[in-house]
Amino acid sequence: METALQSGVTGSSASMDGKRPTPIVRDAHALLARGIDALERNHIDEAVGLLRQTVQIDADSFMGHLALGIALTKALDIPAAERALETAISLEPRNFYAHLRMAELYQRVGVPKKAKEELQTALDLAGTSAEKKIARDLLAVEEHRAPRLAWRPDFAGLLRRKRRE
């Protein structure tokens, strides 16, 4: 025989589509670790939620803002990702990875000038040969990328086709 309490629990569990609620955690470091773990497992929405909680608890967490920027980039929330990465850069302006991730964001949204600037900054800040290689490779790709005008049609191409017809 089912009690009212048991039926309420069952109903609330079903309404959450099988997802377990995140317990309330007040430790920014624990939230950061769980958020990064969720990000590595490609559970983007969970990572964004955990990392947002991290930076709410500890607004000066460089790693929290950096990880949140990465997660928001993957979630395609570009304005919020840019804000999070800008905050990370303001907290640690000489951090290679913050500038590298900002460059990747600019590459993703098609802002080549800013991407090149951030990649150059990352290259200047690189401390190891591996970091320098990463920045150089991305910079070389950016240098050879043809500028695209995705936001408007190629009017010259349209005119040439019209003339041939």
Side-chain angles (χ1 to χ4, degrees):
M1 178 175 234
E2 185 177 42
T3 67
L5 180 61
Q6 289 171 334
S7 66
V9 170
T10 306
S12 67
S13 297
S15 69
M16 292 186 345
D17 299 325
K19 294 182 183 177
R20 289 184 295 142
T22 302
I24 298 173
V25 177
R26 290 283 176 212
D27 180 16
H29 184 71
L31 287 167
L32 176 63
R34 289 177 55 198
I36 290 172
D37 180 58
L39 188 58
E40 289 173 346
R41 289 182 290 121
N42 210 28
H43 296 169
I44 306 304
D45 292 336
E46 180 184 355
V48 167
L50 290 165
L51 295 167
R52 278 195 170 134
Q53 290 177 39
T54 301
V55 299
Q56 285 174 347
I57 292 170
D58 183 5
D60 293 332
S61 171
F62 164 75
M63 287 300 294
H65 286 285
L66 179 62
L68 179 59
I70 294 167
L72 289 167
T73 300
K74 288 185 174 208
L76 299 177
D77 188 350
I78 302 305
E82 186 177 22
R83 284 191 303 274
L85 291 171
E86 284 173 349
T87 303
I89 289 172
S90 71
L91 290 169
E92 288 193 25
R94 301 202 46 81
N95 186 280
F96 167 79
Y97 290 103
H99 289 283
L100 181 71
R101 292 304 187 162
M102 184 63 92
E104 289 173 342
L105 173 74
Y106 287 139
Q107 283 179 325
R108 176 171 273 192
V109 297
V111 185
K113 183 178 178 185
K114 286 186 174 185
K116 287 178 190 175
E117 290 171 3
E118 289 294 333
L119 282 171
Q120 187 58 55
T121 302
L123 182 59
D124 294 343
L125 295 172
T128 66
S129 60
E131 290 175 351
K132 288 179 184 177
K133 181 175 178 1
I134 292 168
R136 270 195 222 109
D137 290 348
L138 286 174
L139 197 53
V141 167
E142 194 60 39
E143 290 290 334
H144 291 96
R145 181 180 293 191
R148 289 186 237 158
L149 301 176
W151 56 274
R152 65 180 177 162
D154 178 12
F155 290 113
L158 288 173
L159 290 174
R160 282 193 296 271
R161 277 186 256 144
K162 289 285 187 186
R163 287 184 196 145
R164 286 186 216 140
E165 294 174 352

